[in-house]
């Protein structure tokens, strides 16, 4: 990315007036980290990254210095040695940015020890931890008057027996803390179509692994009913901007990660997002995802994050410079703004979307012609590939090959 191209994308904000003296250290993440590294690096901000091998930003030539988490060591253990123990004083004064759930958890729990040496955004640690907790997120939404799916606590056998009396299938056995569940099961959640015995089995399996879960209804309807809201709320408790996007498809269908997103303004999603964040007294960077329930046409909370998401490159390519707004707000500067953004730009994971198409075609919900037509106009943003910064693409391919080989051994 050339500096001139970066300047042209900022809707009149002059990069030369921005103080770029505060270095950045990004912890964890993947697509989101790579997008931040490329943009901050192109602007001249000293940007460093620490994460596991598949943290794409570490492989960018815009990354000033990388601190890979050694195999066999958890990210939290490594980051504690890197930051809390204080051995690397060259990092002092850096703005710390969490781009994964593990990183949010680490920074929130160690905020007191880190604050004297590092800089942070306006986020409150206790609120960030509450948004990591999927059960707490739903409680906060209810407090703010924002609709949620029906959900049940399952802490013991009595709770489980009570669920039998009121549950309507299909439902999800969903983790309270997602990254803990994923580290154990390699999945985001369990989906139960119709069998209470299977539901009970999955809940007890989670208990046996000491992983907290809850039962939550699956809102019917296609993945295209999903939408998200993004903002940054500073000390004045007012949103600095409103940005919304939608999902076209996910893989696996109705349960996986988004593989095809669209940048578009959705007033109802923005209204629900503002209501949630202002209703809970949130500050800092926030994202919340909703799904429209076809039974009552109401947007209901799916999850919320206090960090940049995988769709970050879509957002900034659409003309919403939320990365520089974040940097300026966190470092006490006047921030750029935006009044509008591209309504047709899409974010596309080609292989995963093709797999989603195959799954949907098998279910009879899409034809080959419909899928091909959905790809046009071909205004797609890649989450990874960039001709001016090719190394992350090679690294991602190498990591995928290594995982495939290890899986065959």
């Amino acid at each position: 990315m050339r500096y001139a191209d970066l300047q042209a994308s900022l809707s009149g904000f002059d990069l030369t007036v921005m103080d770029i003296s505060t270095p950045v250290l990004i912890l964890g993440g993947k697509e989101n980290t790579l997008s931040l590294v490329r943009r901050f690096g192109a602007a001249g901000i000293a940007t460093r990254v620490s994460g596991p091998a598949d943290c794409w930003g570490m492989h960018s030539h815009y990354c000033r210095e990388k601190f890979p988490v050694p195999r066999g060591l958890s990210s939290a253990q490594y980051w504690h040695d890197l930051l809390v123990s204080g051995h690397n004083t060259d990092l002092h004064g850096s703005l710390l940015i969490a781009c994964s759930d593990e990183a949010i958890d680490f920074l929130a729990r160690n905020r007191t020890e880190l604050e004297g040496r590092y800089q942070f955004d306006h986020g409150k640690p206790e609120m960030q931890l509450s948004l990591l907790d999927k059960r707490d997120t739903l409680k906060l939404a209810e407090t703010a008057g924002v609709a949620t799916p029906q959900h049940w606590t399952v802490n013991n056998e009595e709770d489980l027996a009570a669920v039998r009396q009121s549950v309507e299938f299909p439902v999800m056995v969903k983790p309270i803390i997602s990254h803990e569940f994923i580290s154990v099961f390699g999945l985001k959640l369990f989906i139960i179509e119709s069998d209470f015995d299977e539901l009970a089995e999955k809940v007890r399996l989670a208990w046996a692994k000491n992983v907290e879960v809850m039962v939550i209804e699956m809102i019917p309807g296609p993945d295209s009913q999903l939408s998200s809201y993004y903002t940054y709320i500073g000390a004045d408790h007012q949103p600095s901007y409103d940005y919304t996007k939608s999902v076209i498809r996910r893989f696996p269908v109705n349960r996986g990660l988004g593989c095809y997103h669209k940048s578009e303004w959705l007033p109802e999603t923005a209204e629900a997002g503002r209501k949630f964040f202002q209703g809970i007294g949130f500050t800092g960077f926030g994202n919340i995802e909703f799904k429209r329930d076809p039974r009552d046409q109401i947007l209901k909370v799916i999850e919320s994050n206090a960090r940049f998401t995988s769709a970050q490159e879509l957002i900034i390519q659409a003309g919403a410079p939320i990365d520089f707004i974040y940097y300026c707000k966190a470092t006490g500067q006047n921030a750029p703004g935006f009044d509008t953004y591209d309504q047709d730009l899409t974010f596309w994971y080609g292989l995963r979307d093709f797999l989603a198409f195959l799954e949907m075609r098998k279910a009879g919900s899409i034809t080959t012609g419909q899928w091909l037509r959905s790809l046009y106009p071909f205004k797609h943003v890649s989450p990874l590939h960039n001709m001016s910064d090719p190394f992350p693409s090679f690294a991602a391919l190498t990591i995928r090959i290594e995982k495939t080989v290890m899986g065959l051994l």
Side-chain angles (χ1 to χ4, degrees), residues 37 68 74 88 110 145 221 234 295 314:
V37 169
S74 73
N88 195 329
N110 293 279
R295 297 167 297 187
L314 169 68

Side-chain angles (χ1 to χ4, degrees), residues 16-168:
T16 62
V17 305
M18 186 171 70
D19 181 354
I20 61 172
S21 62
T22 300
V24 166
L25 175 60
I26 303 173
L27 303 182
K30 200 170 182 179
E31 301 96 330
N32 49 358
T33 302
L34 179 58
S35 179
L36 293 176
V37 169
R38 284 171 170 165
R39 290 261 288 189
F40 288 160
I45 299 169
T47 306
R48 298 173 172 86
V49 181
S50 179
D54 63 354
C55 182
W56 292 345
M58 288 197 302
H59 307 286
S60 170
H61 72 74
Y62 290 106
C63 178
R64 180 74 60 89
E65 189 176 6
K66 62 182 179 181
F67 301 92
V69 176
R71 289 186 179 181
L73 200 64
S74 73
S75 295
Q77 289 173 318
Y78 179 70
W79 292 334
H80 192 278
D81 185 60
L82 180 68
L83 300 174
V84 178
S85 298
H87 299 314
N88 195 329
T89 57
D90 291 343
L91 297 176
H92 289 183
S94 298
L95 172 62
L96 300 183
I97 302 178
C99 274
S100 67
D101 288 352
E102 296 94 332
I104 290 175
D105 186 78
F106 170 78
L107 291 182
R109 296 187 187 281
N110 293 279
R111 181 74 168 261
T112 301
E113 294 174 274
L114 293 169
E115 273 186 317
R117 288 171 280 174
Y118 302 96
Q119 295 193 43
F120 292 85
D121 64 18
H122 291 89
K124 300 173 184 175
E126 62 277 10
M127 185 62 71
Q128 292 169 337
L129 291 173
S130 289
L131 294 191
L132 276 184
D133 186 309
K134 304 308 179 188
R135 183 169 51 203
D136 280 357
T137 299
L138 296 179
K139 291 178 181 178
L140 288 170
E142 290 165 352
T143 299
V146 179
T148 67
Q150 191 174 5
H151 53 280
W152 299 265
T153 297
V154 283
N155 291 334
N156 50 49
E157 291 290 347
E158 288 185 2
D159 290 341
L160 192 55
V163 171
R164 183 191 286 271
Q165 307 305 317
S166 57
V167 69
E168 293 184 12

